[in-house]
Amino acid sequence: MNKHEDKYCPRCSQLFECKVGNIVQCHCYGMILSDEEKNEITKNYNDCLCNSCLTALKKEFALAPKHLPLQK
């Protein structure tokens, strides 16, 4: 049985379904993040983010000067 759970995104509070039990069906599957991006996200959030926020942070990270933190 696959483990799925409803979560609220800690960045935007949107409800989403995390499919940790079947990662290939999860909304984050295929989201490629660099180690630097992962570290920045982990530093600011303690749980999974929704796909919209992951996408927005990835875009923001690409545009931000490397010395500035991402916006919460």
Side-chain angles (χ1 to χ4, degrees):
M1 178 170 216
N2 292 332
K3 182 180 176 190
H4 299 210
E5 62 182 287
D6 290 335
K7 291 188 172 193
Y8 288 93
C9 178
R11 183 173 181 258
C12 73
S13 300
Q14 176 181 328
L15 179 66
F16 66 95
E17 185 177 36
C18 178
K19 297 180 180 178
V20 69
N22 189 353
I23 195 68
V24 298
Q25 290 185 346
C26 197
H27 73 278
C28 66
Y29 183 76
M31 177 68 67
I32 299 170
L33 299 168
S34 69
D35 288 340
E36 194 174 11
E37 291 167 327
K38 289 177 194 174
N39 290 338
E40 187 68 23
I41 290 170
T42 306
K43 182 171 71 176
N44 290 295
Y45 304 100
N46 61 358
D47 205 352
C48 298
L49 300 176
C50 70
N51 190 273
S52 296
C53 285
L54 285 173
T55 301
L57 287 173
K58 184 149 181 75
K59 287 179 184 175
E60 182 182 326
F61 195 85
L63 297 173
K66 298 303 178 201
H67 64 280
L68 295 177
L70 298 176
Q71 294 180 5
K72 285 189 177 185

